[in-house]
Amino acid sequence: MFLSCVTFPPPPSIFMTAMSVVSVVSMANGGYSETVGKHMQYSKFWNVNSEKSAAKQAKVSSRNGMLMLYTPAFFAGLSSFWLFPDDGFRFLLLKSALTFHFFKRIFEVLFIHKYSGAMTLDSAIVITLSYFISTSTMIYNQHLSQGLPEPSIDLKYFGMIVFLLGIIGNFYHHFLLSKMRKDGEKQYKIPKGGLFDKVVCPHYLFEILVFWGFAFISQTFYAFSFALGTSFYLMGRSFATRNWYLTKFENFPKDVKAVFPYLL
Protein backbone atom coordinates (compact mmCIF):
# COMPACT_ATOMS: atom_id res chain seq x y z
CA MET A 1 0.00 0.00 0.00
CA PHE A 2 1.10 3.53 -0.75
CA LEU A 3 0.40 4.62 2.84
CA SER A 4 2.90 2.09 4.17
CA CYS A 5 5.53 3.53 1.82
CA VAL A 6 5.22 7.07 3.21
CA THR A 7 4.52 6.51 6.91
CA PHE A 8 6.16 4.72 9.79
CA PRO A 9 4.32 1.62 11.01
CA PRO A 10 1.88 2.73 13.72
CA PRO A 11 3.44 2.34 17.17
CA PRO A 12 1.81 -0.31 19.38
CA SER A 13 -0.19 2.29 21.29
CA ILE A 14 -3.98 2.45 21.60
CA PHE A 15 -3.56 6.04 22.81
CA MET A 16 -1.83 7.11 19.59
CA THR A 17 -4.41 5.37 17.42
CA ALA A 18 -7.23 7.05 19.32
CA MET A 19 -5.54 10.46 19.12
CA SER A 20 -5.14 10.12 15.36
CA VAL A 21 -8.85 9.48 14.92
CA VAL A 22 -9.96 12.09 17.47
CA SER A 23 -7.75 14.78 15.89
CA VAL A 24 -9.07 14.50 12.36
CA VAL A 25 -12.71 14.04 13.42
CA SER A 26 -12.75 16.90 15.94
CA MET A 27 -10.96 19.33 13.63
CA ALA A 28 -13.22 18.41 10.70
CA ASN A 29 -16.24 18.98 12.93
CA GLY A 30 -14.80 22.35 13.92
CA GLY A 31 -14.43 23.30 10.25
CA TYR A 32 -18.02 22.26 9.53
CA SER A 33 -19.22 24.26 12.54
CA GLU A 34 -17.53 27.36 11.13
CA THR A 35 -19.42 27.01 7.85
CA VAL A 36 -22.80 26.88 9.62
CA GLY A 37 -22.16 29.85 11.90
CA LYS A 38 -20.93 28.15 15.07
CA HIS A 39 -17.64 29.97 15.30
CA MET A 40 -14.66 29.84 17.59
CA GLN A 41 -14.90 33.32 19.08
CA TYR A 42 -11.76 35.18 18.08
CA SER A 43 -10.75 37.67 15.39
CA LYS A 44 -13.78 38.75 13.32
CA PHE A 45 -16.04 36.31 15.11
CA TRP A 46 -15.16 37.10 18.71
CA ASN A 47 -18.58 38.67 19.34
CA VAL A 48 -20.90 36.49 17.27
CA ASN A 49 -23.42 35.95 20.08
CA SER A 50 -26.04 38.48 21.02
CA GLU A 51 -24.76 41.42 23.06
CA LYS A 52 -26.61 40.15 26.15
CA SER A 53 -25.10 36.67 25.84
CA ALA A 54 -21.64 38.00 24.99
CA ALA A 55 -21.65 40.26 28.04
CA LYS A 56 -21.88 37.21 30.29
CA GLN A 57 -18.88 35.49 28.73
CA ALA A 58 -15.40 35.79 30.20
CA LYS A 59 -13.11 37.51 27.72
CA VAL A 60 -9.44 38.30 27.33
CA SER A 61 -7.82 40.86 25.06
CA SER A 62 -6.91 39.57 21.60
CA ARG A 63 -3.21 40.07 22.32
CA ASN A 64 -3.26 38.17 25.61
CA GLY A 65 -5.52 35.51 24.15
CA MET A 66 -3.18 34.92 21.21
CA LEU A 67 -0.19 34.69 23.55
CA MET A 68 -2.15 32.13 25.54
CA LEU A 69 -2.79 30.08 22.39
CA TYR A 70 0.80 29.67 21.30
CA THR A 71 3.01 29.82 24.39
CA PRO A 72 2.35 26.33 25.84
CA ALA A 73 2.90 24.70 22.43
CA PHE A 74 6.13 26.65 22.02
CA PHE A 75 7.42 25.37 25.36
CA ALA A 76 6.33 21.85 24.47
CA GLY A 77 8.50 22.07 21.37
CA LEU A 78 11.38 23.68 23.23
CA SER A 79 11.34 21.12 26.04
CA SER A 80 11.52 18.26 23.52
CA PHE A 81 15.17 19.15 22.83
CA TRP A 82 15.89 18.31 26.47
CA LEU A 83 13.49 15.39 26.81
CA PHE A 84 14.53 13.64 23.59
CA PRO A 85 18.06 14.83 22.75
CA ASP A 86 19.32 11.90 20.66
CA ASP A 87 16.48 10.60 18.51
CA GLY A 88 17.94 11.23 15.07
CA PHE A 89 17.95 13.84 12.32
CA ARG A 90 14.28 13.51 11.30
CA PHE A 91 13.21 14.08 14.89
CA LEU A 92 15.54 17.08 15.11
CA LEU A 93 13.91 18.58 12.00
CA LEU A 94 10.44 18.05 13.43
CA LYS A 95 11.27 19.51 16.84
CA SER A 96 12.93 22.50 15.20
CA ALA A 97 10.03 23.14 12.80
CA LEU A 98 7.38 22.91 15.54
CA THR A 99 9.30 25.13 17.95
CA PHE A 100 10.11 27.73 15.28
CA HIS A 101 6.50 27.85 14.09
CA PHE A 102 5.16 28.71 17.53
CA PHE A 103 8.07 31.09 18.21
CA LYS A 104 7.11 32.92 15.00
CA ARG A 105 3.47 33.09 16.09
CA ILE A 106 4.46 34.58 19.46
CA PHE A 107 6.71 37.09 17.66
CA GLU A 108 3.81 38.11 15.43
CA VAL A 109 1.49 38.51 18.42
CA LEU A 110 4.00 40.81 20.14
CA PHE A 111 5.33 42.82 17.19
CA ILE A 112 3.24 42.38 14.03
CA HIS A 113 -0.48 41.99 14.63
CA LYS A 114 -2.84 44.88 15.31
CA TYR A 115 -5.95 44.17 17.31
CA SER A 116 -9.54 45.39 17.27
CA GLY A 117 -11.48 43.05 19.52
CA ALA A 118 -11.26 40.39 22.18
CA MET A 119 -11.38 36.62 22.52
CA THR A 120 -13.73 34.61 24.67
CA LEU A 121 -11.93 32.65 27.35
CA ASP A 122 -13.60 29.35 26.49
CA SER A 123 -12.45 29.60 22.85
CA ALA A 124 -8.94 30.54 24.00
CA ILE A 125 -8.78 27.49 26.29
CA VAL A 126 -10.00 25.10 23.58
CA ILE A 127 -7.50 26.36 20.98
CA THR A 128 -4.65 26.45 23.50
CA LEU A 129 -5.27 22.85 24.46
CA SER A 130 -5.53 21.83 20.81
CA TYR A 131 -2.15 23.33 19.92
CA PHE A 132 -0.44 22.06 23.07
CA ILE A 133 -1.85 18.52 22.91
CA SER A 134 -1.24 18.15 19.16
CA THR A 135 2.34 19.41 19.45
CA SER A 136 3.10 17.17 22.44
CA THR A 137 1.44 14.17 20.79
CA MET A 138 3.29 14.68 17.52
CA ILE A 139 6.60 14.81 19.39
CA TYR A 140 5.76 11.77 21.54
CA ASN A 141 4.59 9.80 18.52
CA GLN A 142 7.86 10.55 16.75
CA HIS A 143 9.71 9.28 19.81
CA LEU A 144 7.68 6.06 19.74
CA SER A 145 8.58 5.62 16.07
CA GLN A 146 12.29 5.43 16.81
CA GLY A 147 13.54 1.96 15.93
CA LEU A 148 10.59 1.20 13.64
CA PRO A 149 11.28 0.63 9.92
CA GLU A 150 11.77 3.89 8.03
CA PRO A 151 9.27 4.66 5.25
CA SER A 152 10.58 3.50 1.88
CA ILE A 153 9.83 6.97 0.44
CA ASP A 154 11.72 9.61 2.43
CA LEU A 155 9.75 12.87 2.52
CA LYS A 156 11.53 14.77 5.28
CA TYR A 157 13.46 17.12 2.95
CA PHE A 158 10.36 17.73 0.86
CA GLY A 159 8.57 18.43 4.13
CA MET A 160 11.14 21.08 5.05
CA ILE A 161 10.56 22.81 1.71
CA VAL A 162 6.78 22.76 2.23
CA PHE A 163 7.21 23.99 5.81
CA LEU A 164 9.48 26.88 4.81
CA LEU A 165 7.16 27.90 1.98
CA GLY A 166 4.26 27.87 4.42
CA ILE A 167 6.03 29.76 7.18
CA ILE A 168 7.28 32.49 4.83
CA GLY A 169 3.94 32.88 3.06
CA ASN A 170 2.04 32.95 6.34
CA PHE A 171 4.32 35.61 7.82
CA TYR A 172 4.19 37.74 4.65
CA HIS A 173 0.41 37.84 4.57
CA HIS A 174 0.17 38.51 8.31
CA PHE A 175 2.53 41.44 7.67
CA LEU A 176 0.28 42.71 4.86
CA LEU A 177 -2.74 42.51 7.15
CA SER A 178 -0.94 44.50 9.84
CA LYS A 179 -0.10 47.27 7.38
CA MET A 180 -3.75 47.77 6.47
CA ARG A 181 -4.42 49.63 9.71
CA LYS A 182 -2.78 52.72 11.05
CA ASP A 183 -2.06 52.90 14.76
CA GLY A 184 -5.33 53.19 16.66
CA GLU A 185 -7.54 52.06 13.79
CA LYS A 186 -9.88 49.17 14.51
CA GLN A 187 -12.19 48.90 11.52
CA TYR A 188 -11.77 46.08 9.02
CA LYS A 189 -10.87 46.69 5.41
CA ILE A 190 -10.76 44.51 2.30
CA PRO A 191 -7.24 43.01 2.26
CA LYS A 192 -5.04 43.68 -0.77
CA GLY A 193 -1.64 42.54 -2.00
CA GLY A 194 0.00 39.15 -2.19
CA LEU A 195 -2.57 36.42 -2.74
CA PHE A 196 -5.38 38.49 -1.19
CA ASP A 197 -6.50 39.31 -4.74
CA LYS A 198 -7.11 35.58 -5.28
CA VAL A 199 -8.27 34.26 -1.89
CA VAL A 200 -9.65 35.88 1.23
CA CYS A 201 -7.42 33.88 3.61
CA PRO A 202 -3.99 33.26 2.05
CA HIS A 203 -2.51 33.22 5.56
CA TYR A 204 -4.67 30.15 6.25
CA LEU A 205 -3.57 28.57 2.97
CA PHE A 206 0.06 28.91 4.01
CA GLU A 207 -0.71 27.72 7.54
CA ILE A 208 -2.16 24.58 5.98
CA LEU A 209 1.16 24.14 4.18
CA VAL A 210 2.99 24.52 7.50
CA PHE A 211 1.08 21.61 9.02
CA TRP A 212 1.54 19.44 5.94
CA GLY A 213 5.23 20.29 6.21
CA PHE A 214 5.17 18.85 9.74
CA ALA A 215 3.45 15.74 8.40
CA PHE A 216 5.95 15.17 5.58
CA ILE A 217 8.87 15.66 7.96
CA SER A 218 7.38 13.35 10.57
CA GLN A 219 5.85 10.73 8.28
CA THR A 220 3.73 9.36 11.12
CA PHE A 221 0.05 8.58 10.84
CA TYR A 222 -0.78 11.02 13.64
CA ALA A 223 0.99 13.91 11.92
CA PHE A 224 -0.87 13.25 8.67
CA SER A 225 -4.16 12.97 10.57
CA PHE A 226 -3.64 16.29 12.32
CA ALA A 227 -2.59 18.00 9.07
CA LEU A 228 -5.78 16.73 7.43
CA GLY A 229 -7.89 17.87 10.37
CA THR A 230 -6.21 21.29 10.39
CA SER A 231 -6.91 21.63 6.67
CA PHE A 232 -10.60 20.91 7.24
CA TYR A 233 -10.82 23.44 10.07
CA LEU A 234 -9.01 26.25 8.27
CA MET A 235 -11.02 25.64 5.10
CA GLY A 236 -14.22 26.00 7.12
CA ARG A 237 -12.92 29.14 8.81
CA SER A 238 -11.95 30.55 5.41
CA PHE A 239 -15.44 29.95 3.98
CA ALA A 240 -16.94 31.69 7.02
CA THR A 241 -14.53 34.61 6.61
CA ARG A 242 -15.40 34.99 2.93
CA ASN A 243 -19.10 35.06 3.78
CA TRP A 244 -18.38 37.67 6.45
CA TYR A 245 -16.65 39.94 3.92
CA LEU A 246 -19.49 39.48 1.41
CA THR A 247 -22.02 40.64 4.02
CA LYS A 248 -19.91 43.55 5.32
CA PHE A 249 -18.62 45.00 2.03
CA GLU A 250 -20.89 45.50 -0.98
CA ASN A 251 -17.85 45.97 -3.23
CA PHE A 252 -16.10 42.77 -2.14
CA PRO A 253 -15.04 40.98 -5.36
CA LYS A 254 -17.13 37.84 -5.91
CA ASP A 255 -14.33 36.05 -7.79
CA VAL A 256 -12.04 36.00 -4.72
CA LYS A 257 -12.12 32.47 -3.38
CA ALA A 258 -11.94 31.35 0.26
CA VAL A 259 -8.58 29.59 0.53
CA PHE A 260 -7.44 27.92 -2.72
CA PRO A 261 -6.91 30.25 -5.72
CA TYR A 262 -9.39 29.66 -8.57
CA LEU A 263 -10.87 26.61 -6.81
CA LEU A 264 -12.50 27.07 -3.38
Side-chain angles (χ1 to χ4, degrees):
M1 292 178 59
F2 176 73
L3 189 61
S4 64
C5 295
V6 297
T7 63
F8 283 92
S13 169
I14 296 176
F15 169 75
M16 289 309 314
T17 302
M19 287 299 294
S20 298
V21 175
V22 167
S23 293
V24 70
V25 172
S26 62
M27 296 292 283
N29 181 66
Y32 172 75
S33 296
E34 291 288 341
T35 66
V36 297
K38 298 178 181 178
H39 306 294
M40 296 298 290
Q41 291 177 262
Y42 64 94
S43 187
K44 298 172 182 63
F45 303 107
W46 79 271
N47 196 20
V48 291
N49 292 329
S50 66
E51 291 185 6
K52 183 177 180 181
S53 175
K56 297 179 180 178
Q57 293 181 295
K59 295 183 286 290
V60 294
S61 69
S62 289
R63 181 188 177 96
N64 289 340
M66 290 292 179
L67 279 177
M68 178 179 170
L69 302 190
Y70 305 122
T71 301
F74 167 70
F75 280 111
L78 194 64
S79 66
S80 68
F81 289 91
W82 173 68
L83 292 171
F84 309 111
D86 301 311
D87 277 349
F89 185 59
R90 182 191 298 275
F91 203 171
L92 177 62
L93 288 179
L94 180 65
K95 292 184 292 187
S96 300
L98 285 165
T99 305
F100 182 76
H101 169 66
F102 289 107
F103 170 80
K104 166 194 161 289
R105 298 300 280 124
I106 292 170
F107 176 85
E108 290 172 337
V109 169
L110 294 175
F111 302 109
I112 302 296
H113 294 321
K114 295 179 181 177
Y115 306 98
S116 60
M119 179 184 298
T120 61
L121 184 59
D122 56 349
S123 290
I125 291 172
V126 169
I127 300 170
T128 299
L129 289 174
S130 175
Y131 279 137
F132 175 74
I133 292 172
S134 63
T135 300
S136 301
T137 304
M138 203 178 304
I139 290 168
Y140 180 59
N141 195 17
Q142 201 70 38
H143 172 68
L144 293 179
S145 299
Q146 302 307 301
L148 296 177
E150 286 272 338
S152 58
I153 300 175
D154 188 351
L155 296 175
K156 62 178 177 287
Y157 298 111
F158 174 70
M160 281 303 300
I161 294 171
V162 174
F163 168 75
L164 291 172
L165 177 63
I167 209 86
I168 292 168
N170 181 260
F171 178 82
Y172 174 65
H173 288 91
H174 280 161
F175 179 76
L176 291 180
L177 284 173
S178 74
K179 291 302 178 184
M180 288 173 53
R181 291 177 181 164
K182 298 178 182 178
D183 291 340
E185 282 188 332
K186 293 189 175 183
Q187 70 272 23
Y188 282 96
K189 302 176 183 178
I190 297 175
K192 297 185 182 298
L195 288 182
F196 281 114
D197 295 333
K198 304 297 182 186
V199 295
V200 72
C201 293
H203 47 307
Y204 286 166
L205 170 61
F206 285 104
E207 187 164 359
I208 288 171
L209 290 182
V210 166
F211 280 88
W212 280 103
F214 295 151
F216 291 133
I217 294 168
S218 172
Q219 293 189 246
T220 61
F221 186 70
Y222 176 79
F224 280 111
S225 296
F226 193 76
L228 183 61
T230 299
S231 301
F232 285 141
Y233 174 72
L234 291 177
M235 286 168 62
R237 187 79 176 183
S238 298
F239 281 117
T241 301
R242 183 176 184 274
N243 289 336
W244 185 90
Y245 275 108
L246 286 170
T247 60
K248 295 294 182 182
F249 298 95
E250 292 183 358
N251 61 332
F252 185 80
K254 302 294 190 298
D255 59 335
V256 172
K257 302 299 183 181
V259 65
F260 298 114
Y262 309 108
L263 297 175
L264 297 172

